[in-house]
C-alpha cells in the first residue's frame, strides 16, 4: 500500500495515513520507538468500491492505473479516458483506491475505461526521470501519455483506440487543452477545469523552475503555451469536443488564463464550450459547483467520444 507521515516538532511522534487497494484506510498515531501505535477514530462515510488495476506500460515502464465502469462486460469494446494531472511534483498512480474515486465516478458516468499514468517528469522515479521536462513542460508529458495510450490499446482488445478523451484540473486542465489541440489524431474530447494556459502568467517560482526566464526562453514559453496553439486555425474536418470551466475568483490559476484561451479559440474559428463560475476559486468549494462542473465534464466527454464505430 501507501503510507504518508507527518511528524511533530520533536520528531518522536508522528501521524500516518495508511491505505491500500484492498480497502485499508486508516490514520495512525505512532512513535519512533514503536511504543505508540493506535488508530485515530474516523466518522467518515464508507467510500464506494472502486475497480482499480495496476500495470506498467511502454519501454520506460510507466505506472498506470486502470478503472473500469461498474457493469463492465468482458468482450465488449469501451472508449478510453485519460484522467490527467501530468505535471511535475505530483503522482496520480498510487496504491490507494480512494485516490481513484473520481476516476470511478467518471467511468460509471461515461461508460468508459478511465486510466491514470505517471509519465516522465513526475516524482518518485529518480532525478533524471523528473528532470526530463526541463524546458519542455508540455511536450514530455504529452508524449508520455500518448505512448501509454498506444500501449494500452495494444494490450487490451476491449479498448477502442479511436475514442479517447481526457480530463483534468489545474495542470491537468492545461494538459487536457494541450492534448486535444496538439494531438486531435489521438484525443477526440477534452474537459479542462481551471487550466493554466500560458506559463508567463503563472507563479514565477513555478514557471521559471521548469522553463527559465521568459525574457531568455521565449521559444520554450511559446512552445508550451496553449494560447499560442489555440490561435492557429484548425485542420479541415470535424473538430474535437472541448469544454473549459473556470472559477472567476480563482486565486491560484487566475481566471484570465481561460479568458485569453477562449479569445484565441474564438478568433481562430475553433469549437469549444466555456463555463465560468462566478465566485468560485481554484478548488470549486461549492458542492453545487462541483456537481455542475463534473457532470458537464462527463457530458462533454460522452458527446465527444460518440458511439462505437
Amino acid at each position: 500500500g501507501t503510507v504518508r507521515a507527518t511528524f511533530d516538532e520533536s520528531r518522536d511522534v508522528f501521524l500516518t495515513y495508511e491505505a491500500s487497494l484492498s480497502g485499508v484506510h486508516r490514520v495512525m498515531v505512532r512513535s519512533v520507538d514503536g511504543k505508540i501505535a493506535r488508530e485515530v477514530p474516523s466518522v467518515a462515510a464508507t467510500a464506494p468500491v472502486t475497480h482499480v488495476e495496476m500495470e506498467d506500460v511502454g519501454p520506460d515502464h510507466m505506472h498506470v492505473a486502470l478503472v473500469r465502469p461498474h457493469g463492465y462486460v468482458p468482450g465488449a469494446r469501451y472508449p478510453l479516458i485519460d484522467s490527467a494531472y501530468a505535471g511535475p511534483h505530483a503522482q496520480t498512480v498510487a496504491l490507494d483506491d480512494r485516490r481513484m474515486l473520481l476516476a470511478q465516478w467518471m467511468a460509471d458516468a461515461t461508460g468508459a475505461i478511465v486510466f491514470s499514468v505517471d509519465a516522465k517528469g513526475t516524482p518518485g522515479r529518480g532525478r533524471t526521470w523528473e528532470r526530463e521536462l526541463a524546458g519542455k513542460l508540455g511536450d514530455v508529458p504529452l508524449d508520455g501519455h500518448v505512448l501509454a495510450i498506444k500501449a494500452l490499446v495494444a494490450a487490451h482488445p476491449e479498448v477502442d483506440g479511436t475514442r479517447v478523451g481526457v480530463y483534468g484540473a489545474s495542470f491537468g486542465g492545461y494538459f487536457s487543452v494541450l492534448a486535444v489541440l496538439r494531438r486531435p489524431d489521438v484525443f477526440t474530447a477534452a474537459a479542462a477545469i481551471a487550466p493554466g494556459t500560458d506559463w508567463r502568467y503563472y507563479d514565477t517560482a513555478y514557471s521559471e523552475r521548469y522553463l527559465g526566464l521568459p525574457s531568455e526562453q521565449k521559444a520554450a514559453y511559446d512552445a508550451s503555451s496553449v494560447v499560442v496553439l489555440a490561435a492557429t486555425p484548425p485542420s479541415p474536418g470535424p473538430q474535437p469536443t472541448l469544454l473549459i470551466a473556470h472559477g472567476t475568483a480563482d486565486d491560484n490559476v487566475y481566471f484570465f488564463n481561460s479568458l485569453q484561451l477562449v479569445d484565441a479559440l474564438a478568433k481562430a474559428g475553433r469549437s469549444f464550450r466555456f463555463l465560468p463560475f462566478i465566485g468560485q476559486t481554484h478548488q470549486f468549494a461549492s458542492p453545487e459547483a462541483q456537481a455542475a462542473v463534473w457532470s458537464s465534464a462527463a457530458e462533454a466527454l460522452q458527446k465527444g467520444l460518440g458511439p462505437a464505430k
Side-chain angles (χ1 to χ4, degrees):
T2 181
V3 177
R4 298 197 302 271
T6 304
F7 285 77
D8 74 341
E9 291 183 0
S10 70
R11 295 176 175 79
D12 295 326
V13 178
F14 56 99
L15 286 174
T16 58
Y17 171 74
E18 304 173 11
S20 73
L21 294 180
S22 58
V24 174
H25 301 97
R26 64 191 181 196
V27 175
M28 299 289 293
V29 181
R30 299 185 181 275
S31 61
V32 173
D33 60 14
K35 294 180 179 180
I36 301 174
R38 62 175 181 267
E39 186 171 355
V40 178
S42 173
V43 295
T46 301
V49 176
T50 56
H51 299 296
V52 185
E53 302 166 25
M54 297 289 185
E55 60 186 84
D56 290 352
V57 302
D60 296 320
H61 302 285
M62 294 178 288
H63 299 327
V64 167
L66 279 176
V67 178
R68 300 175 188 271
H70 289 94
Y72 170 81
V73 178
R77 295 267 284 171
Y78 288 85
L80 185 68
I81 296 178
D82 186 348
S83 174
Y85 183 77
H89 70 73
Q91 289 178 305
T92 58
V93 180
L95 298 175
D96 179 354
D97 56 3
R98 287 187 179 177
R99 294 274 296 274
M100 306 296 166
L101 284 173
L102 179 58
Q104 183 69 68
W105 180 90
M106 188 63 76
D108 294 342
T110 59
I113 295 174
V114 177
F115 82 98
S116 299
V117 58
D118 288 330
K120 286 184 177 179
T122 55
R125 297 289 293 272
R127 188 173 185 269
T128 301
W129 179 282
E130 192 167 0
R131 286 180 61 83
E132 279 288 323
L133 51 59
K136 298 172 288 186
L137 204 49
D139 293 344
V140 169
L142 183 56
D143 290 346
H145 281 240
V146 170
L147 283 174
I149 289 167
K150 292 180 177 179
L152 290 171
V153 171
H156 295 274
E158 70 273 22
V159 172
D160 186 348
T162 67
R163 302 162 66 206
V164 179
V166 58
Y167 72 88
S170 197
F171 196 102
Y174 160 75
F175 178 85
S176 299
V177 177
L178 178 73
V180 82
L181 293 184
R182 185 172 288 174
R183 295 302 305 268
D185 59 314
V186 177
F187 299 92
T188 61
I193 316 302
T197 58
D198 191 307
W199 297 109
R200 296 174 181 87
Y201 303 112
Y202 193 60
D203 299 340
T204 53
Y206 184 97
S207 300
E208 294 175 10
R209 179 185 307 158
Y210 305 109
L211 294 177
L213 296 174
S215 59
E216 298 175 359
Q217 303 294 337
K218 182 180 184 300
Y221 278 84
D222 286 345
S224 63
S225 170
V226 293
V227 175
V228 172
L229 186 60
T232 60
S235 300
Q239 296 188 40
T241 298
L242 174 58
L243 170 73
I244 303 160
H246 212 137
T248 61
D250 194 328
D251 54 355
N252 181 358
V253 179
Y254 297 147
F255 184 61
F256 174 71
N257 280 268
S258 284
L259 286 179
Q260 63 176 354
L261 173 61
V262 300
D263 183 64
L265 290 166
K267 289 176 179 176
R270 291 183 177 272
S271 176
F272 66 94
R273 182 186 178 201
F274 183 38
L275 291 178
F277 284 81
I278 294 175
Q280 293 301 309
T281 63
H282 199 56
Q283 302 302 321
F284 281 85
S286 159
E288 294 80 10
Q290 283 273 356
V293 165
W294 292 112
S295 296
S296 298
E299 180 183 350
L301 289 167
Q302 270 191 312
K303 176 184 176 182
L305 295 171
K309 296 179 178 63

